[in-house]
């Protein structure tokens, strides 16, 4: 995923940019992010905003919390999350849990669905 940054140009909204300190139009983007969890490098596309004035890329507290949840769940269940721009949906599958393949427009909803499905599939596959 080296250097990946996806921009949803249909999602221009106005908000305060922390760098130029003005209320400006920002684009919702998904940017490759790497996080180290227990010595394991987790790579994923994190939700962010990009300022139309200064070009700064930043996360709201909600997006930061979402990114941390995502990194933890990727680590725990061996997941791969990808953004399908054509269908405008997040897709995930697991290297560890057979049958775990889900998609949703909302990353938060998908994370919650993964938690429920993972628990059920772990029991069904007798992985625990």
């Amino acid at each position: 995923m080296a250097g990946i940054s996806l921009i949803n140009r249909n999602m221009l909204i106005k908000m305060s940019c922390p760098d130029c300190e003005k209320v400006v139009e920002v684009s919702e983007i998904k940017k490759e992010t790497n996080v180290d969890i227990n010595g394991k490098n987790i790579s994923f596309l994190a939700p962010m905003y990009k300022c139309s004035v200064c070009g700064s890329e930043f996360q709201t507290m909600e997006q930061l919390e979402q990114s941390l949840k995502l990194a933890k769940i990727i680590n725990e269940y061996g997941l791969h999350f990808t953004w399908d721009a054509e269908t405008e949906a997040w897709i995930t599958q697991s290297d560890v849990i057979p049958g775990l393949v889900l998609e949703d427009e909302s990353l938060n909803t998908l994370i919650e669905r993964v938690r429920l499905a993972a628990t059920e599939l772990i029991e069904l596959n007798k992985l625990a």
Side-chain angles (χ1 to χ4, degrees):
M1 276 198 301
I4 291 178
S5 187
L6 303 172
I7 300 175
N8 186 348
R9 301 217 184 268
N10 296 330
M11 293 296 294
L12 286 176
I13 60 171
K14 288 196 178 246
M15 68 181 347
S16 179
C17 171
D19 288 338
C20 59
E21 298 179 348
K22 298 176 186 172
V23 175
V24 296
E25 282 190 341
V26 296
S27 301
E28 184 177 17
I29 66 170
K30 313 242 185 318
K31 185 174 181 181
E32 181 181 11
T33 304
N34 294 294
V35 176
D36 186 54
I37 298 180
N38 299 327
K40 184 178 177 185
N41 186 10
I42 307 295
S43 181
F44 60 97
L45 291 176
M48 304 180 99
Y49 289 109
K50 184 172 184 169
C51 177
S52 63
V53 174
C54 70
S56 173
E57 296 172 350
F58 60 93
Q59 286 187 305
T60 62
M61 286 303 293
E62 180 182 341
Q63 289 172 321
L64 181 58
E65 288 172 3
Q66 186 180 51
S67 292
L68 292 174
K69 277 186 201 175
L70 183 58
K72 288 177 183 176
I73 202 165
I74 287 171
N75 183 53
E76 185 175 352
Y77 297 123
L79 297 172
H80 301 280
F81 284 82
T82 55
W83 173 253
D84 184 338
E86 187 176 317
T87 61
E88 295 187 357
W90 287 97
I91 302 169
T92 190
Q93 63 185 46
S94 173
D95 291 337
V96 179
I97 305 170
L100 182 58
V101 179
L102 297 168
E103 74 175 76
D104 202 288
E105 293 174 356
S106 163
L107 186 56
N108 276 337
T109 303
L110 184 57
I111 290 169
E112 293 309 313
R113 289 180 59 208
V114 165
R115 285 193 175 125
L116 294 171
T119 303
E120 199 170 312
L121 286 169
I122 287 169
E123 289 177 20
L124 287 171
N125 290 310
K126 297 180 175 42
L127 298 174

